[in-house]
Amino acid sequence: MRHAPFPILVALSLGLAGCAPQEGEEVATGASPAGGRPTLAAVADRLPDAVAGFTRRDTTWHEQSRAGLGVAMDYDGPARSAVATVSVYDRGLAGVPDNTDSAALQAEFTAAVSEAVAMAGTRTSQRIAERDRTDVEVPGQAPMRCATLHGTYGRQEVQTLVCLGPAAGRFLKILVTSPARQVRPVNPVPFVVGVAQAARG
């Protein structure tokens, strides 16, 4: 059975891109500063066109039009049964610690979950709440900290996985939204792991 995307999938994948300050030429050229972290463009180029059944669709360079918004990439899940947004940003930090338990990562994770819940609260037909938190292990690398949100959009039950972790000196935020009930359920974990490994190089 083919599941067409519905409004909540698109809605939750918009407006939640991560933040980063303006980086000027590095966005356009992808050149890495001598001895520094990879550029924003270089990290974006690492992200695959397809991973774990998800296909990359659009890339939006928020950084070019407004300092602090980084870059966001949209993905469609298998048979369009899910949508995902991957954001890379740094909120002005010279380097994000490569440690999921760092104060910076913990604060940003809390903000990411709050943003997703707050966005749902602005829609009269949508209700969503956090159900649980867990760490998704990435072999040989720092884990991705994730929260599972469950709720409804109209009569449709939906779930969103919000994950955050470090990647090449920046924040890496991944949101995956899908119907809660599907004939062939989409497992977002392999996508999260694959994206994290690619972004980190």
Side-chain angles (χ1 to χ4, degrees):
M1 179 177 180
R2 184 181 179 86
H3 294 272
F6 49 95
I8 183 57
L9 297 186
V10 177
L12 284 182
S13 69
L14 298 175
L16 295 177
C19 298
Q22 188 72 18
E23 299 193 46
E25 291 302 312
E26 91 168 25
V27 172
T29 67
S32 297
R37 64 185 177 179
T39 65
L40 187 59
V43 178
D45 285 344
R46 292 175 177 177
L47 297 179
D49 291 332
V51 57
F54 284 72
T55 303
R56 187 167 166 174
R57 185 164 40 88
D58 300 320
T59 298
T60 305
W61 286 97
H62 300 293
E63 193 72 15
Q64 292 181 327
S65 58
R66 181 181 173 189
L69 294 186
V71 59
M73 288 136 281
D74 295 331
Y75 284 81
D76 285 334
R80 303 182 73 187
S81 56
V83 294
T85 298
V86 176
S87 302
V88 181
Y89 58 104
D90 66 12
R91 288 199 185 277
L93 297 177
V96 172
D98 190 22
N99 179 359
T100 308
D101 292 325
S102 70
L105 265 296
Q106 291 187 50
E108 188 60 30
F109 176 66
T110 298
V113 174
S114 296
E115 286 173 4
V117 173
M119 176 171 283
T122 65
R123 302 182 178 93
T124 57
S125 58
Q126 183 180 346
R127 298 289 183 271
I128 197 165
E130 181 179 346
R131 177 167 292 181
D132 53 52
R133 294 189 178 191
T134 186
D135 282 354
V136 171
E137 297 299 323
V138 180
Q141 300 177 356
M144 295 289 289
R145 185 143 295 163
C146 300
T148 303
L149 311 181
H150 280 255
T152 59
Y153 187 82
R155 296 182 178 180
Q156 177 71 63
E157 292 186 35
V158 296
Q159 59 186 13
T160 295
L161 186 68
V162 181
C163 296
L164 190 102
R170 293 182 173 82
F171 296 114
L172 173 67
K173 181 167 65 175
I174 304 172
L175 294 96
V176 185
T177 301
S178 62
R181 298 177 182 177
Q182 300 182 36
V183 175
R184 296 180 180 178
V186 174
N187 180 3
V189 172
F191 174 74
V192 171
V193 172
V195 167
Q197 290 175 322
R200 293 166 177 174

